Amino acid sequence: MLRRVLLFFILVLLSSCRGEDAEKLPAEVKHFELQKSSFSALNGWENEKIGAFDTALKDVCSVMVKKTQKKIKSEYFEYSLSAYQKHCRRMAELSDKDLKIYIEQNFVPYAVVVNGNTEGKFTSYYEAELKANYERGGKYQYPIYGKPNDLVEINLRDFDSTLPNQRLVGRVKDGKLIKYYTRKEVDEGKLDAPVILWGDNPVDIYIMQIQGAAVATLPDGQQIRVGYADNNGHRFRGIGSILLDKGLIKQGDASMPKIKQWLNDNGDSAKKNMLLNDRYIFHKVVEADGPIGAMGLPLVAGRSMAVDKNYIPLGSVMWLETVGPDRKAINKLIMAEDVGSAIKGGVRGDYFWGHGEKAFDCAGRMNSKGRYFILLPKDAEVSVYD
């Protein structure tokens, strides 16, 4: 009886609380493969200078060496954690030059192949900026909410191990768990949540929610980081898709810089259309050297990427081959250490560009094809489930 109730529950909530637009779901996976390759086959490997990758790697390794499970897993493959931990401890001691040599000697690149295809879509995100104050007053009239006091989350697998590992969000009303408030309902004041800051521009707050984090400049010039705390569990609908569907912008104007300009120029219409995205993000003030990703670590500009963890385990060392918005090649080592509601698929990545106006311009225009490789220890036993 419990299983039937839970299965009904998952069908109801998944039909209305998807984390991404239905049209953005990847094609059905009929075949998943890790295709063994070599460093000589990686475009640009000879020019890799390591640089800030060292920071991202050491941050991730500081987490991975503390894990106690036996395997690093995705839905499609697994490999031994102990092999990775051994190399993490050694790599943390090496200089950039020695680190590259060590990786060549002890790791093997595997191309990720889904349905016979190594090519996928690569977008980018950045750390937004806004102006805010701790107190409401003057131009600071727009709330930035912390995690609601009545937000409840469950995981179906906690009730039945045969059910999907699916996080669902809601609130309790009359003894029943129901969907959480939509963006429109939040705007109408139906929310029990602390206000962590007051912003001066609703468009900047909206863009911060899309990006997940921001640097807030206070009236005295002090800068603080605002990070992701949680979300309302509702389906995400991109503002670009909304404006395109309504004919309010042209296809060539669908980059984030141009969308931001349109929103700032169209007050009431902008608000009306922003409310059509039911997904709402809650935030918290954080102390870190960068925005915090899904592993609880600060993201490193140009060296961190969001992936679909159903395919790529968080903490994986990756080699990325794609191009930026101006067609300049991006061939480099990155760490898979974040996720995103629209980042779905076996070959799909969201490249973290960094902070500031240049990062905003590049991230807002990047939409490229590319491929990536996962670098696995030579001494790790790799098992593919496909």
Side-chain angles (χ1 to χ4, degrees), residues 39 53 91 99-107 333 375:
F39 286 97
F53 173 74
M91 290 187 293
L99 176 58
K100 183 178 179 181
I101 294 172
Y102 186 91
I103 291 173
E104 288 178 331
Q105 293 176 341
N106 294 279
F107 285 75
L333 286 165
L375 275 55

Side-chain angles (χ1 to χ4, degrees), residues 213-285:
V215 171
T217 301
L218 303 179
D220 63 1
Q222 178 187 357
Q223 291 189 324
I224 58 174
R225 276 201 158 85
V226 182
Y228 173 92
D230 216 318
N231 69 76
N232 66 347
H234 280 272
R235 173 179 175 174
F236 171 82
R237 188 179 178 194
I239 186 63
S241 297
I242 293 170
L243 299 182
L244 282 170
D245 290 346
K246 290 190 170 188
L248 295 172
I249 62 172
K250 298 178 181 179
Q251 187 67 45
D253 294 331
S255 68
M256 185 53 71
K258 290 186 177 181
I259 289 172
K260 180 180 179 181
Q261 186 63 53
W262 189 94
L263 293 173
N264 278 318
D265 291 343
N266 289 273
D268 290 342
S269 180
K271 178 180 178 180
K272 179 180 178 181
N273 284 285
M274 288 190 292
L275 289 177
L276 295 178
N277 173 24
D278 286 340
R279 171 65 67 93
Y280 199 95
I281 305 298
F282 307 108
H283 291 91
K284 60 185 176 182
V285 175

Side-chain angles (χ1 to χ4, degrees), residues 34 64-65 67-74 77-89 106-107 110 313-316 374-385:
L34 292 180
M64 300 302 286
V65 296
K67 291 185 177 293
T68 58
Q69 72 266 31
K70 294 182 179 180
K71 300 287 186 179
I72 298 176
K73 296 182 178 182
S74 74
F77 72 97
E78 66 178 32
Y79 63 100
S80 56
L81 172 63
S82 59
Y84 192 15
Q85 289 176 324
K86 178 185 70 176
H87 293 299
C88 265
R89 293 185 177 95
N106 294 279
F107 285 75
Y110 290 82
L314 291 181
S316 296
I374 182 168
L375 275 55
L376 300 177
K378 286 183 178 179
D379 50 348
E381 294 182 4
V382 183
S383 299
V384 178
Y385 309 142

Side-chain angles (χ1 to χ4, degrees), residues 29-141:
V29 177
K30 297 179 181 178
H31 181 70
F32 179 92
E33 181 184 356
L34 292 180
Q35 193 174 84
K36 191 173 183 179
S37 186
S38 65
F39 286 97
S40 62
L42 306 184
N43 293 328
W45 174 256
E46 66 279 5
N47 298 318
E48 174 59 270
K49 302 300 182 184
I50 301 296
F53 173 74
D54 176 68
T55 299
L57 174 68
K58 289 178 179 178
D59 284 348
V60 168
C61 279
S62 70
V63 172
M64 300 302 286
V65 296
K66 297 176 183 177
K67 291 185 177 293
T68 58
Q69 72 266 31
K70 294 182 179 180
K71 300 287 186 179
I72 298 176
K73 296 182 178 182
S74 74
E75 295 295 326
Y76 292 92
F77 72 97
E78 66 178 32
Y79 63 100
S80 56
L81 172 63
S82 59
Y84 192 15
Q85 289 176 324
K86 178 185 70 176
H87 293 299
C88 265
R89 293 185 177 95
R90 180 69 182 111
M91 290 187 293
E93 304 170 351
L94 300 176
S95 64
D96 288 355
K97 180 180 178 181
D98 291 338
L99 176 58
K100 183 178 179 181
I101 294 172
Y102 186 91
I103 291 173
E104 288 178 331
Q105 293 176 341
N106 294 279
F107 285 75
V108 177
Y110 290 82
V112 178
V113 186
V114 178
N115 297 339
N117 189 11
T118 61
E119 191 174 78
K121 177 180 177 180
F122 292 87
T123 51
S124 183
Y125 63 123
Y126 79 109
E127 187 177 30
E129 295 181 302
L130 52 80
K131 295 179 180 179
N133 197 1
Y134 283 111
E135 303 294 332
R136 185 178 190 178
K139 63 181 181 179
Y140 302 104
Q141 295 294 324

